[in-house]
Amino acid sequence: MAGRDLAWPWLRMNEAPPAAKRHALGTQLLRYGFVGVLSNAAGYLVYLVATHQGAEPKVAMSLLYLAGACIGFWGNRQLTFKHGGSVTKAGMRYVLAHCMGYLINLAILYVFVDRLSIPHQLAQAIGIVAVAGFLFVTFRHLVFGDAASKSRDHS
């Protein structure tokens, strides 16, 4: 039995086996992608229309970022991560994560558009992808994931 404990340590620690963790990660990535593609595609189209109509790119991004974050909370909490913990605590962590994501997006626009003279349309598309990656990791581990559950259990 001791050999089994060494070979299958998650049986002792009440953890999912590595294959189950990979499957869960893959499923979450697919759901996150689905929620993200729908909301970001719609937001990006609105961004393009707004800037074409004369809105300043950073102002348009700021307003759309706020709207997308509000809509994304429900989609990511319910669909992507199936979080059943405190809405208030997750909401506060979600806001902090999005503040960081917003600053990353703003920095990308500043560097690429204002400093490197790259078209804002391309810079914002890059920003969407970069922030989406950052947010997935942050949501999974700090907002809706195991770390969030452990802090919930101890508070």
Side-chain angles (χ1 to χ4, degrees):
M1 188 92 164
R4 183 174 181 180
D5 286 345
L6 292 174
W8 307 100
W10 60 83
L11 292 176
R12 286 184 291 119
M13 298 184 297
N14 295 323
E15 291 184 13
K21 286 183 179 182
R22 282 191 305 275
H23 176 70
L25 173 63
T27 300
Q28 285 178 341
L29 275 169
L30 285 173
R31 290 190 297 231
Y32 182 76
F34 177 74
V35 169
V37 165
L38 289 178
S39 63
N40 282 309
Y44 187 63
L45 289 174
V46 172
Y47 170 86
L48 291 175
V49 170
T51 55
H52 181 71
Q53 296 295 321
E56 200 278 324
K58 288 182 221 56
V59 172
M61 180 277 295
S62 297
L63 295 173
L64 289 169
Y65 194 100
L66 180 61
C70 291
I71 293 166
F73 179 75
W74 179 85
N76 285 307
R77 183 173 184 271
Q78 297 296 322
L79 301 175
T80 303
F81 299 102
K82 300 191 182 290
H83 181 257
S86 168
V87 173
T88 303
K89 289 180 181 181
M92 290 187 312
R93 290 186 297 262
Y94 187 84
V95 167
L96 289 174
H98 267 293
C99 285
M100 291 300 300
Y102 172 81
L103 291 174
I104 292 167
N105 201 156
L106 190 61
I108 287 170
L109 281 177
Y110 173 75
V111 170
F112 282 57
V113 176
D114 296 345
R115 296 308 218 170
L116 301 176
S117 299
I118 291 174
H120 69 88
Q121 299 90 336
L122 177 59
Q124 182 58 22
I126 291 167
I128 288 169
V129 173
V131 171
F134 165 78
L135 289 176
F136 178 79
V137 172
T138 304
F139 291 167
R140 186 167 200 272
H141 294 288
L142 301 175
V143 176
F144 303 119
D146 290 339
S149 297
K150 288 176 185 161
S151 71
R152 244 191 349 266
D153 294 340
H154 295 8
S155 55

